[in-house]
Amino acid sequence: MNLRATCIASAALLALVAAGPVAAQTKVDVALIGDADTFDPMVSTKDVVSIVTQHFLETLYTFDKNWQVVPLLAADMPKVSEDGTTYTMPLRQGVTFHDGSSMDSADVVASLNRWKDVASRGKAIAGQISSIEATSPTEITIKLSEPYAPLTTLLAFSNSAAVIYPQEIIAPEIKQPIGTGPYKLQAYQPDQYTQLVRFDGYTQPGAAAGEREQIPDEIRFIPVPDPNTRVEGLLSGQFDYADSLSTEVFDRIEASDVAEPVLLQAFGWPTFQVNHKKGLMTDLNIRRAVQAALPYDDMLFAAFGNEKFFQTDGAYYPEGWPWHTEEGTELYNQNDPEKAAEYLKAAGYDGKPLRILTSRQYEFHYQMAEVARMALEMAGFKVELDVVDWATLAQNRDNPDLWDIYITHSPFLPEPTLTSSLSSTSREGWANPEKEEILKRFTHESDPEARKAIYAELQRKIYDDVGMIKIGNFSAVQGKSRALSGVTPSPWPAFWNASKKQ
């Protein structure tokens, strides 16, 4: 039995011994693309992990409906020193962990110290953290060696997340995930379901974070790798909610009496992530050849089929976002195989295969990969597609010996530094010195208008150095039962306020 299964089995056994079998009255069944491969969101940036774990693990801060940072386990926003290097954070009192213990500053300090050691986003700023101290049982103080304006945004995010655990369980690997959330883990059956049940000792956060009503008695997350099976289960009433559906089924779901589509307009961007550590893509001319060759219009049309679901847009944030800029976008959508061939010649390309790592669990990733392969081969590349399940892709992308490009996607995030691939400590390893200098200025600056100007420089550098490759904007399709209400459309839908008509 793997570590996670051992952990959940132990927790479930203790719960059953203490309370006997749980007789669920209201159950919400949610179909996801696969199992969460860990219940420790500190060590994962995957959406499937965030969707599940946000129900039982909480952070000091979270986001409101307008993507503004608000307190969750913190009692208020931090007091920040004039020089921007000291953050004093009050903590809520009366917060109870699922094991019955009370949260205090010692738990928070131990958790944040682990976060900076094991989480990709924590590691990215670990060198700037001088100390994390408990300055009273209900207060912590973080001291930085230099200002870091997006600190609270980083602490609020739900993947690579700064979740708070009891200090007693802190270890390099968490063997038993114990949190403070409105639900707790009851059972896990690999490839079948993850079962959460209501935590009766939950204390509600402040109004800014929104009430977590704990309406369902039970929430089940069911791994359904095949997108067609997710759709059929939704339409038959087997699932109350289904994540990550193909745009091709939108009209069919809309016509159903049982289910309805959930469309997240301009949800995010698919990207080709670049291996800057090893292999072909460490050569700038090779990277520029890929950038020049890709036909983004064709890739997006193959992936989404209808222009109402995508936009061929090179800005890393679309119009309407404060970070929107057109800097560098003249290098977007060149679709120029001859120019790409010139870059290949300058690189002395010898026919070594360009390895693209992708998965069919997100079918649009695979569809983009197929179009990209044809275009890259026309430019002179030899291309190998490594098509694996999503769990294997997530494992393999951590080994720079196994890929040159991997395909992923992200929602548009409220703070650019939440894009982990911008960090030199990320799995992609983009360590360009000029980018590092721009990024440092960006994170030191607290004035919003000045930060926008610096971000424009950063986007220009992404294009000039081919730090990563944005394909375009896309709208995401999810689906829900017409009987289900109380779920706010989101890249990471939460189900604590979900109710079902009988």
Side-chain angles (χ1 to χ4, degrees):
M1 183 178 289
N2 63 29
L3 175 64
R4 182 176 61 162
T6 302
C7 147
I8 302 307
S10 299
L13 180 60
L14 288 173
L16 290 170
V17 169
V22 175
Q25 298 173 354
T26 305
K27 180 165 68 78
V28 174
D29 290 321
V30 182
L32 300 178
I33 67 153
D35 266 330
D37 62 347
T38 177
F39 291 139
D40 178 8
M42 279 194 190
V43 300
S44 177
T45 59
K46 289 192 288 189
D47 291 343
V48 69
V49 173
S50 297
I51 291 170
V52 175
T53 60
Q54 66 182 331
H55 292 81
F56 56 88
L57 297 170
E58 295 183 315
T59 48
L60 290 177
Y61 300 96
T62 188
F63 298 100
D64 67 12
K65 63 182 180 180
N66 298 314
W67 290 105
Q68 298 299 307
V69 177
V70 294
L72 183 56
L73 290 176
D76 205 344
M77 296 303 292
K79 180 180 178 182
V80 185
S81 64
E82 287 189 11
D83 65 359
T85 63
T86 302
Y87 286 68
T88 303
M89 302 177 178
L91 307 176
R92 283 172 50 205
Q93 300 182 50
V95 175
T96 303
F97 286 108
H98 297 157
D99 65 356
S101 63
S102 297
M103 184 194 79
D104 61 19
S105 57
D107 301 307
V108 176
V109 169
S111 297
L112 294 186
N113 276 318
R114 179 179 185 265
W115 174 74
K116 71 180 178 63
D117 290 339
V118 306
S120 59
R121 292 190 171 89
K123 289 177 183 178
I125 65 161
Q128 296 164 245
I129 297 176
S130 300
S131 64
I132 305 172
E133 297 179 349
T135 40
S136 86
T138 58
E139 180 185 272
I140 69 156
T141 299
I142 300 177
K143 293 185 178 180
L144 307 175
S145 59
E146 55 191 23
Y148 191 82
L151 178 62
T152 53
T153 306
L154 209 62
L155 294 176
F157 203 47
S158 61
N159 67 44
S160 190
V163 294
I164 306 304
Y165 293 116
Q167 64 172 326
E168 291 80 11
I169 72 167
I170 296 297
E173 293 185 358
I174 298 294
K175 297 182 181 298
Q176 182 174 336
I178 297 172
T180 59
Y183 288 81
K184 60 184 180 179
L185 284 160
Q186 179 72 8
Y188 167 66
Q189 292 293 327
D191 302 319
Q192 295 184 46
Y193 63 84
T194 298
Q195 180 193 29
L196 310 184
V197 297
R198 186 190 296 116
F199 174 45
D200 292 333
Y202 186 64
T203 53
Q204 292 289 340
E211 187 173 4
R212 303 181 175 202
E213 295 186 60
Q214 301 176 275
I215 292 175
D217 296 284
E218 176 186 344
I219 305 169
R220 287 201 182 205
F221 294 99
I222 302 163
V224 186
D226 181 66
N228 293 325
T229 305
R230 291 197 296 279
V231 171
E232 296 305 326
L234 178 71
L235 294 174
S236 70
Q238 178 184 0
F239 306 134
D240 300 301
Y241 207 95
D243 188 38
S244 190
L245 303 179
S246 169
T247 56
E248 295 175 355
V249 301
F250 184 91
D251 292 341
R252 184 179 172 211
I253 299 172
E254 193 171 43
S256 168
D257 294 331
V258 175
E260 60 188 1
V262 177
L263 183 65
L264 282 69
Q265 293 278 10
F267 165 91
W269 35 284
T271 57
F272 279 25
Q273 292 293 350
V274 171
N275 186 345
H276 291 271
K277 293 181 178 179
K278 290 185 176 181
L280 282 175
M281 296 293 278
T282 59
D283 186 314
L284 177 57
N285 279 315
I286 296 289
R287 298 200 299 275
R288 286 178 172 169
V290 173
Q291 184 183 61
L294 292 177
Y296 300 118
D297 288 298
D298 294 342
M299 294 167 67
L300 289 165
F301 188 80
F304 303 108
N306 187 313
E307 288 186 354
K308 77 176 181 179
F309 299 118
F310 72 86
Q311 303 85 42
T312 308
D313 178 17
Y316 273 74
Y317 282 87
E319 290 185 11
W321 284 81
W323 307 110
H324 175 74
T325 174
E326 295 293 328
E327 280 293 319
T329 57
E330 70 276 5
L331 297 175
Y332 175 76
N333 201 25
Q334 298 170 66
N335 193 9
D336 190 338
E338 292 181 359
K339 187 175 182 181
E342 290 174 6
Y343 282 126
L344 286 181
K345 183 177 179 181
Y349 178 64
D350 61 0
K352 184 177 181 181
L354 180 74
R355 299 161 302 168
I356 300 177
L357 181 62
T358 190
S359 172
R360 298 199 74 157
Q361 279 171 266
Y362 291 109
E363 184 67 14
F364 69 97
H365 291 188
Y366 175 75
Q367 290 163 338
M368 288 188 298
E370 284 285 14
V371 176
R373 175 170 63 177
M374 290 186 286
L376 290 166
E377 288 176 344
M378 285 179 60
F381 278 101
K382 182 177 180 180
V383 179
E384 287 183 0
L385 288 191
D386 185 9
V387 184
V388 297
D389 62 81
W390 187 247
T392 301
L393 183 147
Q395 181 179 23
N396 289 357
R397 67 184 177 179
D398 287 331
N399 184 345
D401 293 321
L402 299 180
W403 58 278
D404 298 301
I405 291 169
Y406 76 86
I407 303 176
T408 188
H409 67 272
S410 171
F412 294 114
L413 303 175
E415 160 63 43
T417 52
L418 291 173
T419 302
S420 59
S421 52
L422 291 175
S423 170
S424 60
T425 63
S426 68
R427 63 174 62 89
E428 296 83 12
W430 185 33
N432 178 284
E434 293 177 6
K435 181 267 297 185
E436 295 300 315
E437 187 275 331
I438 297 169
L439 197 58
K440 185 173 183 178
R441 281 192 285 118
F442 183 68
T443 57
H444 282 201
E445 182 58 63
S446 58
D447 178 74
E449 292 305 313
R451 295 192 83 214
K452 290 178 188 177
I454 299 170
Y455 179 73
E457 294 181 52
L458 183 59
Q459 181 173 292
R460 162 67 66 182
K461 181 52 63 178
I462 294 172
Y463 272 104
D464 287 347
D465 199 53
V466 199
M468 65 186 87
I469 300 173
K470 178 189 175 183
I471 308 305
N473 306 337
F474 77 103
S475 299
V477 177
Q478 301 168 350
K480 62 177 284 295
S481 165
R482 291 186 182 271
L484 187 73
S485 61
V487 181
T488 301
S490 166
W492 309 280
F495 298 92
W496 43 69
N497 294 338
S499 61
K500 293 166 66 174
K501 292 185 216 175
Q502 297 301 317

